[in-house]
Amino acid sequence: MAPRWKGKAAEAKALAEPMSKIVSRLQSSLIESNSQGLLSGCTVLLAADPEQTELFNHACFGRPVITSEKDKQWFQLSLEEALYLCSVMKCIKIVGENTCVKDEEQLWHYMASKRAGFPILFKAYSHLRMKNWVVRAGSQYGVDFVAYRHHPALVHSEYAVLVLSDEDGDRSARLRVWSDFHCTLRLCGSVAKTLLVLHVSKNGNGAIPPSSLDHYRVEERIVTRWNPEQSRENQTIVQKELCKSGT
């Protein structure tokens, strides 16, 4: 399915300012300001200056929180977003209620306790983000994430993403019966999205700490409905008719 750009100039604007460059500028700004996020339940709160606010919005990290403060803007980051900025991009630190900086192992234990299947979901999230896809929550479409080619203001989301793994019995049970496939594909079709299934699995059979994501691999599968109108036989007939009309 081709990208559905929002307006005639949207594609040109996206090409002129690639998402990779926007994210890189955000990374540099956060490192320079020694930014810290605060753990708050199932989210992380982070304060941004005016320049960082613009970069956060353009890079599509977090959601702005309305406050009375005029000199800075607070952003609410999902657990996946916060850990990606902390452990992959190395541009923020995360502190707990006691204002002590959490190391990666502590963050993993905390976040895994707050969300079932978090290591698998984070591996899928980081897999897409590292390929410069904008990744947002997909609960409104019955999936784990939705993926955009660029900023949602410029283009509609292209993929509805389901994350499966043999490590998570409840999660991997999805799409095992035809009715699940049928409902999910019909929903994706009705909102003009392609179903992308990311299957996350371990490399090897030994015990692997959840934070060792290098030991996990991701297999991408695109699932589509078969359209009888596009069958090989019909296409052959059309091609023959076109050949006859051209001779």
Side-chain angles (χ1 to χ4, degrees):
M1 186 179 295
R4 296 182 298 128
W5 297 99
K6 297 180 179 180
K8 296 181 179 179
E11 183 176 7
K13 187 175 181 179
L15 292 173
E17 193 173 23
M19 185 55 63
S20 57
K21 289 186 177 180
I22 300 173
V23 173
S24 179
R25 291 205 302 270
L26 174 63
Q27 180 184 32
S28 299
S29 179
L30 292 173
I31 292 174
E32 185 178 349
S33 63
N34 194 27
S35 295
Q36 291 187 345
L38 173 64
L39 280 173
S40 177
C42 293
T43 62
V44 172
L45 298 175
L46 189 144
D49 61 32
E51 178 190 0
Q52 291 171 343
T53 296
E54 183 177 0
L55 289 171
F56 264 113
N57 287 327
H58 287 176
C60 298
F61 278 103
R63 299 187 183 278
V65 178
I66 298 175
T67 66
S68 59
E69 298 183 67
K70 296 181 179 180
D71 58 336
K72 60 183 175 182
Q73 170 70 59
W74 285 88
F75 280 84
Q76 185 181 58
L77 303 171
S78 69
L79 296 180
E80 290 86 2
E81 290 173 325
L83 192 60
Y84 185 81
L85 292 172
C86 179
S87 67
V88 178
M89 296 182 63
K90 308 290 185 183
C91 58
I92 69 169
K93 296 180 176 63
I94 299 177
V95 301
E97 294 180 355
N98 56 1
T99 69
C100 293
V101 176
K102 301 283 188 181
D103 61 34
E104 288 189 20
E105 200 65 32
Q106 290 173 321
L107 287 175
W108 272 106
H109 286 301
Y110 177 88
M111 294 180 178
S113 69
K114 293 295 182 180
R115 186 172 185 183
F118 176 77
I120 302 303
L121 290 168
F122 178 71
K123 177 63 179 181
Y125 175 89
S126 59
H127 175 78
L128 294 173
R129 259 297 183 177
M130 291 174 69
K131 292 187 174 186
N132 295 313
W133 287 93
V134 171
V135 186
R136 289 298 202 184
S139 56
Q140 61 182 326
Y141 302 114
V143 294
D144 295 304
F145 303 111
V146 288
Y148 297 79
R149 187 172 293 266
H150 205 278
H151 195 284
L154 299 179
V155 66
H156 292 279
S157 57
E158 212 163 316
Y159 293 103
V161 184
L162 274 178
V163 183
L164 304 181
S165 172
D166 295 335
E167 303 300 308
D168 190 338
D170 293 336
R171 182 171 297 279
S172 62
R174 297 183 297 177
L175 300 187
R176 284 191 174 178
V177 295
W178 167 244
S179 58
D180 287 346
F181 262 114
H182 186 66
C183 292
T184 304
L185 287 172
R186 286 294 296 269
L187 176 58
C188 290
S190 66
V191 292
K193 300 185 192 327
T194 300
L195 177 61
L196 173 62
V197 177
L198 298 183
H199 189 271
V200 181
S201 56
K202 290 195 304 184
N203 291 320
N205 298 320
I208 296 175
S211 57
S212 301
L213 290 186
D214 289 341
H215 295 282
Y216 287 85
R217 65 177 183 271
V218 179
E219 182 180 352
E220 303 172 352
R221 299 172 184 171
I222 290 178
V223 184
T224 59
R225 295 175 64 199
W226 176 67
N227 187 348
E229 295 179 359
Q230 296 179 353
S231 66
R232 182 178 299 176
E233 182 178 351
N234 289 341
Q235 289 179 346
T236 304
I237 293 173
V238 171
Q239 289 174 355
K240 288 181 178 179
E241 291 177 349
L242 289 174
C243 290
K244 289 180 180 178
S245 61
T247 54

